[in-house]
Amino acid sequence: MRLIKNYINGEFVDSSEGKVFKKYSPLTNEHIADIQEASRSDVDLAVKSARNALSGEWGLLTPDQRVELLYGVADEITNRFEDFVEAEMVDTGQPSHVQRHVFIPRGAANFKVFADVIKNVPAESFMMPTPDGEGALNYSLRVPKGVVGIISPWNAPFLLMTWKVGPALACGNTVIVKPSEETPLTTTLLGEVMSKVGIPDGVFNVVNGFGPESAGEFLTTHPEVDAITFTGETRTGTAIMKAAAEGCRDVSFEMGGKNAGIVFADAEFDKAVDGIFRSAFLNTGQVCLGTERVYVERPIFEKFVQALKEKAESVSYGHPMEQGSNYGPLISKEHQEKVLSYYQKAVDEGATVVTGGGIPDMPGDMANGNWIQPTIWTGLSDDAAVVREEIFGPCCHIMPFDTEAEVIAKANDTEYGLSTTVWTSNLARAHRVAAKIDVGIAWVNSWFLRDLRTAFGGSKQSGIGREGGVHSLEFYTEMRNVCVKL
Ligand code: NAD
């Protein structure tokens, strides 16, 4: 049985109140770990340690020295690559190839990319005239924001957590991470890495627990946390924003989506089917950028539905380490129940279930896991619950459309604005449509292709602010103007 501790001021420590909660395997629901739940005083200690670290050895490092340390973090993650892959598989139940080729390497890259950004970012300066003719020089300094609280979700735990820790540390802040209660393993491993490479005590802290009345709330309501960056559900973001209002603390939010995939009749058919298949079903549909609403131009509608159905029915359920398995379970029983309730709602609302709609037969212990079938519906109207609400499962509704204007209006008819994926071979249309969808990221003939230097975030209720490349500096630093009278 694994025992997961909190990492505070450079040490792995138990809960000061002796509280422990259980972690269950998504594959079998077997009890696989005990996690020490951070108390209010543990969180307080973590915040105080982070505050002290700002003015200690960490605060005295030059940017180059910080960059070198962060390169060391990335290299040590790579040295322990198999440990990270294993931990993420245990936590999420998702296939090893996704961890191996996407989530863990991109997580390690988050430390190098933001270290490079910091090394190369210019400061602005302005000479201004003054009445005495001598003038004044203005220049800007980028200073760390201070103590940053990081609240992360379970769907791509390591990638999404390091996406925040990397830039926060590169900019000279100190952090307290509250990973999802479902997926604490890789954040704990990162604590070991920080310790090994010599990141000073208190710079990186981990507190485990839940949201309300637990570590999440203790952290976000702590008055000495200067800024909060959060990835998770929009509802949770609303609660955190209220907490951050006390003390007028800055927030950066990456939240839910109900993303549209748009396939025009002139798209390269097989590539479009593959693209929508990945965007709807990768990670068992637990990707914020995933597609739950698909709009297909009428001439190819029937053919497209049939092709996507065949692909959905070809997934190989199985243990993440099993050769050939490419489809894992949902994260938890609770989430499985939520997704199944939407599967039922779709039927109640009169959907045609093209494929799926239930739980697959799994052998042995895996019969107790959180498995679920990839599911496709057609035949619903724009106001159906499964067309409007984020499900965060492996499912999509496909609807035909006739004109470009109509599909743009449908894609935008949502309170969310995270991403879209548009498939067409008409270049002019590709640019036109991408520009008109109200989202933070619009893919054309691709999906989930990420250049870490670009701005990432959501419009409308999908987010506040942008992170990525130099955009991360907006949140993780304060710009200080120095005005020198000459
Ligand atoms: P969640 O909102 O339930 O939980 C996220 C984190 O917030 C967890 O660590 C949780 O413990 C914590 N939390 C919950 N209530 C809290 C509170 N009151 N105060 C402080 N912390 C609290 O989200 P989830 O179920 O872990 O993740 C799935 C959601 O995340 C989906 O909505 C998905 O779209 C979204 N997501 C968005 C992005 C993005 O980049 N936009 C990326 C991944 C996931």
Side-chain angles (χ1 to χ4, degrees):
M1 181 74 58
R2 292 172 201 244
L3 182 62
I4 304 300
K5 300 190 174 198
N6 300 301
Y7 182 68
I8 300 175
N9 205 23
E11 278 182 68
F12 283 98
V13 291
D14 289 343
S15 160
S16 61
E17 287 178 0
K19 277 189 172 174
V20 173
F21 64 96
K22 291 180 176 160
K23 157 79 190 160
Y24 299 94
S25 165
L27 302 167
T28 59
N29 273 307
E30 179 196 348
H31 172 198
I32 50 169
D34 282 331
I35 303 161
Q36 296 284 337
E37 183 177 349
S39 65
R40 193 183 285 278
S41 66
D42 296 330
V43 173
D44 184 53
L45 183 61
V47 174
K48 293 216 157 69
S49 308
R51 168 81 42 214
N52 289 340
L54 281 173
S55 51
E57 185 190 344
W58 178 247
L60 298 174
L61 295 179
T62 63
D64 277 357
Q65 289 169 321
R66 267 201 325 262
V67 162
E68 203 173 312
L69 274 175
L70 294 181
Y71 262 69
V73 171
D75 290 342
E76 182 59 13
I77 293 168
T78 307
N79 290 342
R80 296 193 58 186
F81 192 75
E82 290 306 322
D83 293 344
F84 278 92
V85 168
E86 194 259 351
E88 202 80 320
M89 277 189 316
V90 167
D91 258 350
T92 64
Q94 290 299 324
S96 68
H97 70 267
V98 183
Q99 313 306 339
R100 211 173 279 286
H101 298 296
V102 187
F103 293 155
I104 304 301
R106 283 198 195 178
N110 282 334
F111 288 96
K112 287 195 172 164
V113 167
F114 290 104
D116 289 342
V117 167
I118 274 298
K119 246 176 25 186
N120 297 314
V121 71
E124 66 178 24
S125 72
F126 295 101
M127 282 296 291
M128 69 183 284
T130 53
D132 65 4
E134 300 288 346
L137 169 66
N138 290 275
Y139 63 89
S140 65
L141 296 175
R142 282 208 176 265
V143 298
K145 196 143 255 177
V147 175
V148 178
I150 298 177
I151 308 273
S152 54
W154 46 257
N155 62 313
F158 186 62
L159 174 70
L160 296 171
M161 177 265 300
T162 52
W163 173 246
K164 295 174 182 304
V165 175
L169 297 191
C171 292
N173 300 284
T174 57
V175 301
I176 302 103
V177 184
K178 207 298 280 171
S180 168
E181 54 275 28
E182 305 285 356
T183 52
L185 295 189
T186 42
T187 312
T188 309
L189 279 183
L190 188 59
E192 293 177 16
V193 167
M194 296 287 177
S195 178
K196 169 91 191 289
V197 304
I199 297 286
D201 295 347
V203 171
F204 174 82
N205 304 273
V206 183
V207 292
N208 288 299
F210 304 84
E213 293 169 34
S214 184
E217 184 183 313
F218 303 152
L219 181 59
T220 52
T221 54
H222 199 294
E224 285 189 65
V225 171
D226 298 305
I228 301 163
T229 173
F230 161 76
T231 300
E233 281 188 32
T234 298
R235 205 170 21 140
T236 310
T238 309
I240 293 177
M241 198 160 180
K242 286 181 185 156
E246 196 63 49
C248 297
R249 282 135 349 115
D250 201 0
V251 294
S252 171
F253 285 172
E254 292 170 357
M255 302 187 287
K258 187 72 183 176
N259 311 306
I262 301 174
V263 183
F264 287 94
D266 62 12
E268 280 191 62
F269 187 81
D270 292 344
K271 287 189 179 163
V273 173
D274 279 356
I276 296 291
F277 170 75
R278 284 183 63 241
S279 72
F281 303 123
L282 183 82
N283 216 35
T284 319
Q286 303 165 115
V287 180
C288 56
L289 304 159
T291 304
E292 290 187 356
R293 298 182 290 145
V294 183
Y295 301 97
V296 179
E297 205 170 359
R298 201 173 298 275
I300 61 163
F301 179 75
E302 296 298 340
K303 186 178 164 201
F304 187 92
V305 171
Q306 184 58 30
L308 196 65
K309 169 184 187 305
E310 280 165 23
K311 279 195 82 81
E313 288 173 357
S314 73
V315 300
S316 294
Y317 304 90
H319 191 283
M321 290 301 279
E322 209 175 285
Q323 193 70 19
S325 97
N326 62 9
Y327 185 87
L330 293 171
I331 188 72
S332 64
K333 255 292 154 244
E334 190 190 351
H335 192 49
Q336 186 196 40
E337 280 161 17
K338 174 186 160 187
V339 176
L340 283 173
S341 77
Y342 276 104
Y343 283 13
Q344 185 57 47
K345 247 183 224 178
V347 172
D348 295 345
E349 288 179 315
T352 300
V353 181
V354 176
T355 187
I359 297 176
D361 285 332
M362 297 300 291
D365 288 353
M366 286 203 284
N368 300 322
N370 312 318
W371 301 90
I372 194 142
Q373 291 175 326
T375 295
I376 300 172
W377 305 289
T378 56
L380 291 174
S381 59
D382 293 324
D383 58 0
V386 302
V387 180
R388 302 211 71 80
E389 296 167 23
E390 183 187 49
I391 302 169
F392 217 54
C395 51
C396 62
H397 178 260
I398 317 183
M399 194 181 276
F401 72 90
D402 294 298
T403 68
E404 192 178 303
E406 175 200 359
V407 77
I408 290 169
K410 281 185 190 294
N412 284 334
D413 180 20
T414 169
E415 66 207 20
Y416 293 110
L418 190 52
S419 75
T420 189
T421 170
V422 180
W423 295 81
T424 177
S425 52
N426 177 333
L427 196 59
R429 169 149 62 202
H431 289 291
R432 206 164 51 227
V433 174
K436 284 190 182 152
I437 314 279
D438 299 336
V439 287
I441 182 159
W443 277 288
V444 175
N445 297 332
S446 60
W447 177 77
F448 212 33
L449 199 53
R450 286 277 302 125
D451 182 327
L452 300 183
R453 293 167 300 182
T454 60
F456 178 87
S459 306
K460 301 197 264 184
Q461 291 189 30
S462 290
I464 298 180
R466 294 290 180 273
E467 296 191 24
V470 291
H471 310 283
S472 290
L473 303 182
E474 294 302 317
F475 178 70
Y476 292 106
T477 63
E478 292 284 0
M479 186 97 118
R480 180 175 300 155
N481 186 67
V482 180
C483 179
V484 183
K485 173 74 179 64
L486 301 177

